Every structure is written in C-alpha cells, then in structure tokens.
Amino acid sequence: MQHRQEPSAAATSKQQSKQQRKTPKLAAVAALLVALLAIAWSTFNSNDSSSSSSSSSSSSSSPSSSHFLGVPLRAIQQQQKQQHPEQSAHLDARLQQLRSQILNSTTTDAVQQLLQGARLPKRVTLQMAQQLVVDAQLLQHSLQEGHAAARIAAIRNHYDSINSSSSRDDVTAEATAAGAGDGHEQQQDSAAAAAAATAASSMTSSSSSVSRGILIVGGSRTHLGNAYILLRMLRQHLHCSLPIEIVYYGRQELDPAAAALVTSFIAAEEAAGKPDITLIDGLQVQQQHIGKLQPHPEDVKLSSWVAKVHALCWVTRFQQVLLLDSDNLPVQNPEVLFEVSEFKSGGFLIWPDFWHNLWMEPAVYRLLNLSVPWEVNPKGFLAAESGQLLLDRSAHADVLEWLWLLNSHRELVYECVVGDKDTFRMAFALAGKQQHYIQVSEPPQELLGDAGQHVRLGRYFHLGMGQASPDGTALMFLHRTARGKFFPWCAAKRLLNGTCQPVLLTLPVVQEQLEASVRDAGAMRFDTNKIDVRWHTANCAPIVTGEEVSAAGSSRWAMPLPVCNYTVGQLPIPALPAAAIPGLPAYLAALDAVFAEVQQQLRVQLVDRIKVMLGKL
C-alpha cells in the first residue's frame, strides 16, 4: 500500500499565500455578479411598473393613423379601377407581359456584361443583380405609361389641389379685408382675386401655402428616446414652429416608456394650442392607405433605412420636407433652410459625408448604366450623408419612384453604397435630373469627445459630425452618429462619470485626413497627437460675440464658424474648442440638462451598462 506524502511546511505556506491572493479577486467577481443581479432586478421591476403604467396611458391615447393626411394612393387606385376597369385591367396585363419579356432577355450573361468586370459584393448573388436590372427596366416602362405614372400624377394633383385651395382662401380673405366699394369695384376685385388664385396655384414651389414640415423616422426605445430629445430642442430651445411627424413601424417598435414621453409632450403642445406634432404608425399607413406599389417588389421589409425611405416616399403629408435622423440635432432654427437658394433652385438639398468611396462598390452603378461618380470625379467626390436632407416631393415625384426601387433592393444596394444615403444621388440620375441633385460643398466637421474628467486615455473619441449651413459659414447640425447618441451610449456612459458632449470640433475634414489619423476607420479613435488644438489661435480670425453671418436671401445665421487660413487635407487635424463658436456652449448645456432629465425618466437597461463596461459601444 502506497502512502501519501505530506506537503512540507514551506509548500503549505506558499499554497496558503496563493489562496489568499485569489480570495480578493474571487470576492470582487462575486461582488460584481451580485451588483449586476441587483441592477437587473431593479431594472426589471422599474421597467415592468413603468411599462404597465405607460401601457395603460398609451392605450387610452394610443397613436392612430386613421386620419391620414398624406396622398391616399390605395383609395385613388381603387377609384381609378372602378371608373376605368378596362384600362386598369390592361395596365395589369401589360405589366405581366413586360415582366416576362424583360426577364427572358435579362440573362446572367447580360448581367455580367453590364457589370463590365466590376465584382459583386460577397453576399450578393447574380440572381439578385438580375432581379434589380429587371425591376429597373419595368419601372422605366411604368413611368411612361403604367402604375408609376399614375402615382406621380396622383401625388402632384394632390398637392396642386391643396395649394390651389389654400391660395384661394388667402385671396378671398384679402378681398374681404379690402372693404366694400361700389359694385363695379367689387366685380374688379373678384376678377383680380380669381386671377391671383390661378397664378398662385401654378407657383407651388414658392407659395407660402406649400405644406412644409419635419419628418423623423424611428421607433424602438433607442430611436424614440432620441426623437423625444430632438422634439424638446426644436420646440423649447430653437423655437421651431414647423409641423413634425414621427413615424414608427408597428406596435412592436413603440417602446412604452419612450412612447409615453413623446405622447405626453404632444399632449402638452396641444394643450398650449400647438397641435403640430403627430406620431404615425407607418406600417398601418402602408396597409390601409398605400397598398401595392406596382411594379415595385412586394413584401419589402420595412425596417432600418428602408423604413426611413418608405416614410419619405409614401407616408409623410408634407410636400416640402426636412428629413432628420432621430439622433441629429439642428443647432439653430431649421425653418430658414426652406428659403435658401440652394434648395429653392432645385427642390433638393443634401449634405456630404467625410468619405470619398470607402466601403462602396461600383457594381450597382454598372448594373443601372450609371457613371461611377468617384471614377468621374476622383478628387472632388464626397459620399452623401442623409441624416438631414430637404426634398420637394411634388416636384420630384418621379425621383421617389427610383428611390423606392433602390431601397426595396436593400440586399444588393446596401452592400454597395452603405445604406440609403447615396441612393438619392442614383435616384436623381436615373430620373434624368442630375442637375437638381444639390449637395452642400463644405465637408463635415468631426465632433470629438474625451473619456471625461476622471479618466485620461490620451485619445479623443468620434461622437458624430457637425454639418454647416448651405453656404458653409455657420454650424447647422450636430449629427450624433456614434457615442454622442443619448441612447444607448450617453445614457449608460453618464453612469461612469463620462461625457458624451463634444469638447472639440475639427475644421472640415475628409477621408485622407481621417485615414491618416485613426488606427481603425470603424472605431474612429484619435490619438491626441493627431489633433492640433492650438493651430486655430494663430490661423483663425476670432469671432466677436454677437457677430452674425448673413445668409443670402434669408434671415441671419446663428453660430457662425470662424474664418481660418486652412486647407482641407492638412495634418495634424486642426480643432476648435466648443467655446470658439458663439452660442454653442449654452446650447450644449441645455442639451445636457435634457439628457439628465430623460435619463431619470427612462431607466438605463442592464445591457447598456455592460456594453459600456466592455467597451462595446
């Protein structure tokens, strides 16, 4: 029988010491687990109670889309079928015939020839490419004599009718106010009023009766929470009086707690006599008021960027619309944008991204017989950034058709151009309206944050981008594309004593500067030696407090940008403190106060905190 050897005293002491060193680590892990369980329990209970109360309040005043103010395409189509059944049947039969003919002629060899050697992205099949080509050709025919042509006519007739009616009402009121005269003078006044109304109805792009408003798309706790903050800043700090629509898609997107905040704010506005904010279920609108959009694909999943474009094309009631991402904050009243020459001249205005063609593929341009823009203009091309854009939907109803075609083929198109943003450029080109595609020339600014006063990491973080006024002289938008979002980043990071407000704004930057300044273009973290925080003191003219920059044909801009002896592309990247832009520190302080208030009203979920701790946000 073999005897077990007893450990020596030295070995025993060493083992006990090792065990003692492990004990604090185990205790810390155990404490962390207990804390996380406690957070989870409290979050569950608070969310459960708030959800039940929010559900009861939202059920009593649930958002409804029954009173639809947009273009009722489904009803118009049904009316046309009833009034002209033979013509409708002919259109349907002609569509099926064309589909069969185009499908037979669009072989895989034909698709390969269109590509001209360009590779399809890995997740895109040749069959997807073939279907896009077929649907594009179908739409081209439909725009000439089919369903798409009828939709365009319906949209334009709808807005012409509204504008004409509004103009006649205005003229009638003016004629009444003019006072009574003799019979002959009254007849002359009536004739003049009729003539004025007729003229006004043909001037929809410049008439004050044109419906204008802001469209925000986004359900879920994240987007709806951000949208609530946007509402607060627009109404309470910028004093913007434009009507606002918030569109979500399906009850599953309507987070009870966030929806309660939005509906309470809407109720308060209505009580104050300002009933101009509407919460709309875009899915309900699609089913009840839009219907089939032939010859476009059916059963398109309405989520993410597709939902945003769907709301712009078919749901909103506005003729002239400012489309804003829910995480995009104007820093001055955006009403003036509808009057700038850049928009009035062509009925469309969009802003640029930092990038030339990073993450973009030419295949989709080749398939649609379009020139590849970064090949045509290698140095001057900047991708679009659709977090903010202005569009006249009546003037460009044909562009809407192409825009919807591109975004309904998300599996292919988004693999080539990273979401919806450059589908606007393609849609204008496909409609033969390249001259109306107007993009602001000034590149965006980087919004940079640090790790907060309690941590020094020696680097800056990308919070988002600053977009300039159309003439490039003032700051217009803070688009919080990354860590500047209230949800999920700011709400969770605030618990760790961090900051999610920009401490620096770079001067306008482009792809080459960013690639030379960050280790990973996806993470966008800047070492401090890549950012020059002193350059502006010797190279930028200081702005006198209260100075304003005139915008041609409009009221004056707030928050003017300094004039600097700067060339886009220089390194290291020059940056300004927020205090260098008059009015910006006060705006950020007001925003921070709203952040703090909303954080108390909407509990931060456990998953948000864990992601921040792990550096995953």
Side-chain angles (χ1 to χ4, degrees):
M1 183 174 178
Q2 192 173 12
H3 295 281
R4 181 172 61 89
Q5 186 177 3
E6 294 295 327
S8 65
T12 302
S13 176
K14 184 176 181 180
Q15 188 174 10
Q16 289 175 345
S17 176
K18 186 176 182 181
Q19 186 66 28
Q20 289 173 352
R21 287 196 302 268
K22 284 185 178 180
T23 302
K25 294 181 180 179
L26 292 173
V29 172
L32 177 61
L33 288 174
V34 170
L36 291 178
L37 287 172
I39 292 171
W41 178 256
S42 64
T43 302
F44 173 80
N45 285 338
S46 64
N47 283 346
D48 185 61
S49 61
S50 65
S51 295
S52 60
S53 62
S54 299
S55 297
S56 61
S57 65
S58 62
S59 62
S60 62
S61 60
S62 58
S64 173
S65 302
S66 57
H67 186 53
F68 181 58
L69 298 176
V71 184
L73 293 174
R74 186 188 188 103
I76 292 171
Q77 185 179 25
Q78 290 174 346
Q79 184 181 25
Q80 289 173 342
K81 284 186 176 182
Q82 291 173 357
Q83 293 178 348
H84 308 284
E86 294 182 1
Q87 182 180 357
S88 297
H90 173 73
L91 281 178
D92 291 341
R94 177 61 175 158
L95 176 62
Q96 295 305 319
Q97 181 185 15
L98 279 171
R99 190 185 301 276
S100 178
Q101 292 175 354
I102 295 172
L103 189 58
N104 289 334
S105 63
T106 309
T107 62
T108 54
D109 288 340
V111 172
Q112 292 283 17
Q113 189 173 0
L114 282 172
L115 287 169
Q116 301 176 27
R119 293 182 179 180
L120 291 172
K122 289 182 179 179
R123 289 186 285 188
V124 175
T125 66
L126 202 57
Q127 288 70 31
M128 291 179 188
Q130 184 181 26
Q131 192 61 56
L132 174 62
V133 173
V134 169
D135 288 348
Q137 293 186 31
L138 269 177
L139 178 57
Q140 187 67 61
H141 286 282
S142 185
L143 285 165
Q144 297 169 1
E145 55 177 351
H147 299 85
R151 271 194 303 275
I152 292 170
I155 290 172
R156 288 176 174 162
N157 289 338
H158 174 84
Y159 288 118
D160 285 348
S161 174
I162 291 175
N163 296 332
S164 177
S165 175
S166 298
S167 299
R168 284 196 300 270
D169 290 345
D170 292 342
V171 170
T172 302
E174 289 176 6
T176 303
D182 59 29
H184 179 66
E185 289 175 346
Q186 289 182 11
Q187 289 179 357
Q188 286 182 327
D189 288 344
S190 299
T198 303
S201 67
S202 65
M203 296 172 61
T204 58
S205 62
S206 59
S207 172
S208 60
S209 62
V210 170
S211 63
R212 292 172 172 173
I214 297 174
L215 172 64
I216 305 165
V217 183
S220 78
R221 177 171 170 271
T222 295
H223 296 298
L224 210 53
N226 284 319
Y228 171 71
I229 292 169
L230 176 53
L231 289 180
R232 292 276 302 271
M233 299 304 290
L234 282 169
R235 286 292 192 256
Q236 297 176 350
H237 297 277
L238 299 178
H239 307 293
C240 174
S241 61
L242 287 170
I244 301 171
E245 296 173 332
I246 302 175
V247 180
Y248 64 96
Y249 281 81
R251 298 294 300 185
Q252 75 282 355
E253 281 198 355
L254 204 61
D255 175 78
L261 284 182
V262 172
T263 53
S264 296
F265 187 82
I266 292 174
E269 288 284 293
E270 290 177 346
K274 298 178 286 187
D276 286 329
I277 304 175
T278 314
L279 190 59
I280 301 171
D281 185 345
L283 193 59
Q284 186 179 347
V285 169
Q286 170 60 35
Q287 295 166 350
Q288 295 182 2
H289 303 288
I290 306 302
K292 290 185 178 180
L293 293 164
Q294 293 179 308
H296 296 293
E298 297 183 26
D299 301 323
V300 177
K301 186 178 180 181
L302 299 178
S303 63
S304 186
W305 292 306
V306 178
K308 174 179 165 182
V309 172
H310 181 270
L312 178 64
C313 289
W314 317 120
V315 176
T316 182
R317 74 183 190 268
F318 305 128
Q319 176 181 335
Q320 293 183 351
V321 57
L322 170 61
L323 177 62
L324 283 177
D325 282 0
S326 64
D327 57 7
N328 194 358
L329 288 171
V331 298
Q332 51 190 305
N333 193 329
E335 294 180 51
V336 68
L337 289 172
F338 290 96
E339 300 299 335
V340 299
S341 59
E342 292 86 352
F343 174 65
K344 294 181 75 172
S345 63
F348 180 76
L349 185 63
I350 197 168
W351 276 254
D353 207 333
F354 300 117
W355 314 107
H356 298 306
N357 62 322
L358 191 66
W359 305 303
M360 297 174 72
E361 300 288 344
V364 65
Y365 286 92
R366 300 259 194 262
L367 289 170
L368 298 170
N369 277 318
L370 296 175
S371 300
V372 181
W374 57 87
E375 293 178 357
V376 174
N377 186 13
K379 294 183 179 180
F381 171 78
L382 283 177
E385 197 274 294
S386 60
Q388 60 286 299
L389 63 86
L390 289 154
L391 176 68
D392 187 318
R393 297 174 62 250
S394 179
H396 298 305
D398 50 345
V399 175
L400 297 180
E401 294 287 340
W402 288 110
L403 186 63
W404 182 240
L405 171 84
L406 293 164
N407 286 271
S408 63
H409 284 267
R410 67 196 295 171
E411 294 83 1
L412 186 156
V413 175
Y414 291 177
E415 289 292 316
C416 292
V417 294
V418 194
D420 68 300
K421 55 186 188 176
D422 274 280
T423 61
F424 292 89
R425 185 193 313 271
M426 286 189 286
F428 272 87
L430 288 164
K433 290 183 167 182
Q434 295 94 326
Q435 72 276 18
H436 295 298
Y437 178 88
I438 306 298
Q439 184 168 298
V440 173
S441 59
E442 188 81 355
Q445 300 168 261
E446 264 286 353
L447 304 180
L448 298 176
D450 57 22
Q453 59 181 345
H454 301 288
V455 183
R456 289 288 177 260
L457 296 180
R459 67 181 60 158
Y460 296 108
F461 299 95
H462 166 74
L463 300 183
M465 58 177 65
Q467 294 285 10
S469 57
D471 62 1
T473 61
L475 185 64
M476 191 71 218
F477 297 100
L478 296 181
H479 191 181
R480 300 166 292 142
T481 56
R483 299 179 179 216
K485 297 178 191 288
F486 179 74
F487 280 112
W489 176 257
C490 295
K493 185 175 174 64
R494 182 184 292 276
L495 300 175
L496 305 178
N497 295 318
T499 177
C500 57
Q501 298 296 0
V503 295
L504 294 172
L505 288 82
T506 70
L507 295 184
V509 290
V510 292
Q511 179 173 324
E512 293 85 356
Q513 289 166 287
L514 296 178
E515 288 180 327
S517 303
V518 297
R519 301 173 187 175
D520 178 1
M524 295 285 281
R525 296 173 181 173
F526 297 77
D527 290 336
T528 53
N529 63 346
K530 302 294 184 180
I531 304 296
D532 192 336
V533 298
R534 295 184 178 88
W535 182 90
H536 72 95
T537 59
N539 295 277
C540 296
I543 300 173
V544 178
T545 303
E547 179 183 351
E548 293 177 329
V549 180
S550 295
S554 70
S555 60
R556 294 180 179 273
W557 298 114
M559 298 198 190
L561 294 169
V563 177
C564 303
N565 183 24
Y566 169 69
T567 302
V568 174
Q570 74 180 54
L571 295 168
I573 300 174
L576 308 166
I581 301 176
L584 184 57
Y587 181 89
L588 293 177
L591 177 61
D592 210 43
V594 175
F595 274 12
E597 182 182 334
V598 175
Q599 187 182 354
Q600 292 177 353
Q601 295 169 318
L602 295 180
R603 285 297 191 102
V604 180
Q605 292 184 358
L606 176 63
V607 65
D608 297 331
R609 304 185 188 193
I610 293 176
K611 284 182 177 180
V612 171
M613 291 177 184
L614 297 177
K616 297 297 184 183
L617 287 179

